[in-house]
């Protein structure tokens, strides 16, 4: 069998911004293979931008490795980034430039052949539906237009890999749809896409696979299809006569086959591997431990509850 090519591979990344500060990435490993559209989902502060900045070599990992198309991004950044287009944070520093000026500048940064530049700029501006404003000052653009321009910048050199950090954040529904359609169009061309979002709906709508991130750790990594199955089939709703304690939640969470535990008004919701054997052992353990169980039944919490249970509700999803 032909070896699967994975244009993005990160291995055991740790990040601590300041020597005395907290560790914000705790050994993240991710493989993204050719043609995949992968969502990187996590609440604010979970480490999405930090990861993306390490992949694109804007900041250095404290330890760990990033390979882009098999090339070490720290050792050979220029070569590694040659086939990457990235959208990272929305800068306001280009206000006095026009799209044509901005894109011409970046075309040179990307070392694009001189005679292709003018035509390619016209092409990408048409692709993001901004042809009419190619010579207008960027400062006068709406947030949606600016975001589309940044996507034009990311796809300018026709990269195979697109890395997009919160591409729809701050946009209105129309802007969201426009950017989403643009991303899907790029994906349809066979590009590999890695996009971050704090919105579950965004990733479940756009991506094939989702990586759940919380507090700098990966909590789940699976296809949207499998995650949907897990969210609906792998849930047990346990009702208890006594109130739930933190210790109880920790204990249940530590049991074999349990993904996460969340408190609800009558007891706990347990997300587990879906194995009947696990369910059997769980029920036995709860009773043996002395928890006053009065009902133990499968539940359909749906994707939203699954997300909350994995992320913990202390941070929320916004
Ligand atoms: N330049 C920085 N210096 C120190 N800490 C930072 C810096 N950038 C981000 N952090 C911290 O790293 C953690 C992850 O942040 P970030 O990657 O921006 O998360 P996200 O993009 O998921 O919102 C947060 O706790 C944040 O406060
Ligand atoms: Mg961020």
């Amino acid at each position: 069998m032909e070896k699967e090519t994975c244009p993005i591979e990160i291995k055991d990344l740790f990040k601590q911004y300041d020597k005395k500060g907290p560790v914000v990435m705790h050994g993240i490993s991710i493989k993204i293979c050719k043609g995949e559209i992968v969502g990187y989902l996590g609440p604010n502060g979970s480490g999405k931008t930090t990861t993306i900045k390490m992949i694109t070599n804007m900041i250095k990992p404290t330890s760990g490795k990033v390979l882009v198309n098999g090339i070490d991004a720290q050792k050979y950044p220029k070569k590694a980034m040659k086939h990457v287009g990235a959208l990272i944070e929305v800068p306001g520093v280009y206000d006095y430039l026009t799209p044509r000026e901005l894109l011409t500048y970046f075309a040179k940064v990307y070392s694009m052949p001189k005679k292709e530049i003018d035509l390619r700029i016209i092409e990408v501006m048409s692709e993001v539906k901004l042809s009419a404003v190619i010579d207008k000052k960027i400062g006068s653009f709406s947030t949606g237009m600016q975001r589309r321009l940044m996507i034009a910048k990311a796809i300018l050199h026709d990269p195979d890999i697109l890395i997009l950090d919160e591409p729809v954040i701050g946009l209105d529904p129309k802007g969201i749809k426009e950017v989403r359609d643009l991303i899907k169009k790029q994906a349809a061309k066979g590009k590999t896409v890695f996009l971050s979002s704090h919105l579950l709906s965004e990733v479940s709508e756009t991506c094939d696979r989702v990586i759940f991130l919380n507090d700098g750790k990966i909590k789940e990594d699976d296809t949207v299809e499998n995650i949907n199955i897990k969210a609906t089939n792998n849930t047990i709703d346990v009702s208890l006569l006594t109130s739930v304690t933190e210790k109880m939640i920790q204990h249940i969470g530590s049991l074999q086959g349990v993904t996460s535990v969340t408190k609800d008004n009558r007891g706990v919701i347990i997300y587990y591997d879906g194995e009947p054997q696990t369910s059997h052992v769980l029920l036995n353990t709860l009773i043996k431990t002395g928890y006053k169980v009065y009902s133990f039944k499968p539940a359909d919490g749906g994707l939203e509850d699954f997300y909350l249970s994995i992320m913990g509700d202390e941070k929320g999803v916004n």
Side-chain angles (χ1 to χ4, degrees):
M1 213 176 83
E2 201 183 324
K3 198 172 164 266
E4 196 175 22
T5 51
C6 299
I8 302 176
E9 200 174 342
I10 70 180
K11 291 181 189 165
D12 218 17
L13 280 192
F14 280 84
K15 180 68 185 175
Q16 186 179 23
Y17 279 97
D18 307 299
K19 274 211 173 93
K20 287 182 186 149
V23 175
V24 297
M25 305 285 336
H26 301 265
I28 297 280
S29 296
I30 298 173
K31 237 187 199 178
I32 296 167
C33 297
K34 200 166 163 20
E36 273 194 303
I37 309 170
V38 179
Y40 199 38
L41 180 67
N44 290 332
S46 55
K48 302 180 295 294
T49 301
T50 300
T51 310
I52 285 176
K53 283 182 173 168
M54 289 194 284
I55 298 176
T56 51
N57 200 39
M58 289 169 72
I59 58 172
K60 299 246 171 275
T62 305
S63 66
K65 207 168 193 172
V66 177
L67 297 174
V68 179
N69 280 330
I71 300 160
D72 189 317
Q74 263 74 53
K75 281 192 190 144
Y76 313 100
K78 206 163 173 201
K79 205 171 159 206
M81 289 308 128
K82 199 169 171 216
H83 303 286
V84 175
L87 167 81
I88 302 165
E89 282 166 2
V90 193
V93 293
Y94 305 130
D95 283 3
Y96 295 101
L97 297 178
T98 68
R100 200 192 299 269
E101 289 164 349
L102 177 81
L103 296 179
T104 303
Y105 169 75
F106 276 100
K108 287 175 185 161
V109 171
Y110 294 144
S111 315
M112 287 169 63
K114 250 203 178 100
K115 46 180 203 290
E116 285 174 21
I117 294 177
D118 292 351
L119 211 64
R120 179 63 185 158
I121 289 174
I122 290 168
E123 202 173 274
V124 293
M125 285 299 281
S126 152
E127 200 156 337
V128 301
K129 300 197 174 74
L130 290 173
S131 302
V133 293
I134 191 164
D135 293 312
K136 295 257 164 22
K137 292 269 190 294
I138 296 168
S140 68
F141 291 8
S142 69
T143 314
M145 288 162 79
Q146 293 203 12
R147 196 68 50 80
R148 273 162 27 230
L149 177 61
M150 289 306 128
I151 290 177
K153 174 188 151 264
I155 63 175
L156 186 61
H157 55 313
D158 198 21
D160 310 324
I161 307 166
L162 275 179
I163 299 178
L164 311 167
D165 192 18
E166 303 253 18
V168 301
I169 199 165
L171 301 183
D172 60 19
K174 184 167 166 271
I176 291 179
K177 185 170 177 343
E178 283 165 348
V179 167
R180 192 181 277 166
D181 288 348
L182 267 175
I183 295 170
K184 284 184 174 166
K185 227 169 112 188
Q186 290 300 313
K189 288 184 182 171
K191 300 196 190 280
T192 305
V193 182
F194 184 52
L195 72 90
S196 83
S197 177
H198 65 286
L199 297 174
L200 174 68
S201 57
E202 184 51 33
V203 294
S204 58
E205 169 74 25
T206 317
C207 305
D208 314 323
R209 184 177 134 207
V210 188
I211 297 169
F212 290 69
L213 183 76
N214 199 16
D215 284 334
K217 292 179 203 118
I218 291 175
K219 299 290 178 176
E220 179 76 53
D221 177 351
D222 213 335
T223 62
V224 170
E225 201 182 341
N226 281 342
I227 287 171
N228 266 308
I229 294 171
K230 279 183 196 167
T232 49
N233 292 357
N234 300 19
T235 310
I236 301 170
D237 187 343
V238 181
S239 302
L240 298 156
L241 292 174
T242 48
S243 57
V244 179
T245 62
E246 194 48 44
K247 203 174 150 206
M248 206 184 257
I249 291 197
Q250 270 178 17
H251 170 228
I252 299 170
S254 71
L255 299 173
Q256 177 98 31
V258 174
T259 318
S260 67
V261 185
T262 166
K263 197 171 158 174
D264 85 341
N265 49 0
R266 281 170 308 152
V268 290
I269 311 259
I270 303 173
Y271 293 86
Y272 74 116
D273 58 17
E275 294 297 329
Q277 177 65 21
T278 305
S279 174
H280 165 70
V281 172
L282 264 171
L283 179 57
N284 248 332
T285 310
L286 296 186
I287 307 263
K288 269 194 201 148
T289 313
Y291 299 149
K292 300 204 176 310
V293 178
Y294 73 87
S295 109
F296 184 94
K297 58 177 192 285
D300 177 359
L303 212 52
E304 199 73 38
D305 281 357
F306 183 71
Y307 177 51
L308 283 174
S309 80
I310 285 180
M311 299 313 187
D313 37 24
E314 78 279 7
K315 279 198 170 158
V317 286
N318 294 308

